[in-house]
Amino acid sequence: MQRREWIQCVGAASLGGLLAWRAEASTETAHAELAKLWRRDGGALLVRHAVTESGLGDPPGFALGQCSTQRNLSDAGRQASRAMGAWMKAQQFKPDAVLSSQWCRCQDTARLAFGAFEDWTALNSTFDGQGDPTAQQKALRARLQAMPKGRSEVWVTHQVIMTALTGAYPEMGEGFLVDRQGRLLARGRMAV
């Protein structure tokens, strides 16, 4: 049985029920509606990095900037990242900015899906006592609130960052479309 990934409308926004992340003939209209909503209202699409090699956190000796010391994307994660980029291209939609955590799995997700991206330390993981959760959430909320109406950004990050901002738990490769107040409008997973 083929696994289907989906985006579900969770707020007042009208996305027409369930939306598939990957373009299929029966969901092309739904894809267009998602792109239309994001183009019209803007906001940030928070994406938890794509599927990784097995494990939790990072191995002992982890170091930023040294991918060989980190838990990295699996083949399926790399494929899903490319599929997300293909979906965006098919929608003829290019976000105004793509920002990423400094972890290699996030940077690789951003690079494979969008090509260019900028590192933003506010998106770095706060798992297991890393980072400064309070300061990072403050920076995320400040950027959202300052975002002009209609601006669209992608933020590739980690579960702990997305959960702290929205109160919802994302799976690997799942995205949350949020408005300028951080309210969750829609959520969905990358196709593999």
Side-chain angles (χ1 to χ4, degrees):
M1 173 183 247
Q2 182 180 8
R3 184 172 162 185
R4 292 188 179 209
E5 305 299 346
W6 50 275
I7 289 177
Q8 180 179 17
C9 176
V10 294
S14 174
L15 296 178
L18 298 180
L19 303 177
W21 194 271
R22 180 176 53 199
E24 296 178 8
S26 62
T27 60
E28 286 180 23
T29 301
H31 284 94
E33 288 300 314
L34 174 62
K36 181 179 175 183
L37 173 70
W38 199 13
R39 270 190 197 101
R40 184 190 72 211
D41 296 339
L45 178 65
L46 283 66
V47 177
R48 183 177 177 192
H49 57 77
V51 177
T52 64
E53 301 158 342
S54 63
L56 179 65
D58 286 289
F62 157 82
L64 282 179
Q66 295 180 14
C67 297
S68 63
T69 68
Q70 301 179 30
R71 183 168 48 94
N72 294 297
L73 295 183
S74 65
D75 288 339
R78 286 187 289 278
Q79 179 184 352
S81 298
R82 287 183 195 101
M84 180 183 184
W87 178 80
M88 291 279 197
K89 188 174 183 177
Q91 297 304 310
Q92 299 178 346
F93 185 68
K94 184 174 176 14
D96 296 306
V98 177
L99 305 174
S100 177
S101 158
Q102 293 176 301
W103 267 245
C104 293
R105 57 186 169 266
C106 294
Q107 292 175 332
D108 289 344
T109 299
R111 183 179 299 106
L112 291 168
F114 303 100
F117 66 90
E118 294 178 43
D119 286 336
W120 187 26
T121 58
L123 296 173
N124 285 356
S125 180
T126 57
F127 181 74
D128 204 20
Q130 298 174 30
D132 183 341
T134 302
Q136 287 173 246
Q137 285 297 311
K138 185 177 179 181
L140 297 174
R141 292 185 183 285
R143 185 172 180 114
L144 280 173
Q145 291 169 357
M147 195 178 290
K149 182 172 175 61
R151 181 171 174 85
S152 60
E153 296 187 356
V154 174
W155 299 355
V156 185
T157 189
H158 307 267
Q159 173 269 315
V160 293
I161 298 298
M162 293 171 68
T163 299
L165 184 66
T166 67
Y169 184 93
E171 299 295 326
M172 282 189 243
E174 189 169 14
F176 292 171
L177 180 60
V178 297
D179 66 12
R180 293 178 304 182
Q181 285 71 46
R183 290 183 298 234
L184 184 58
L185 300 175
R187 65 187 298 173
R189 289 184 49 106
M190 296 181 201
V192 291

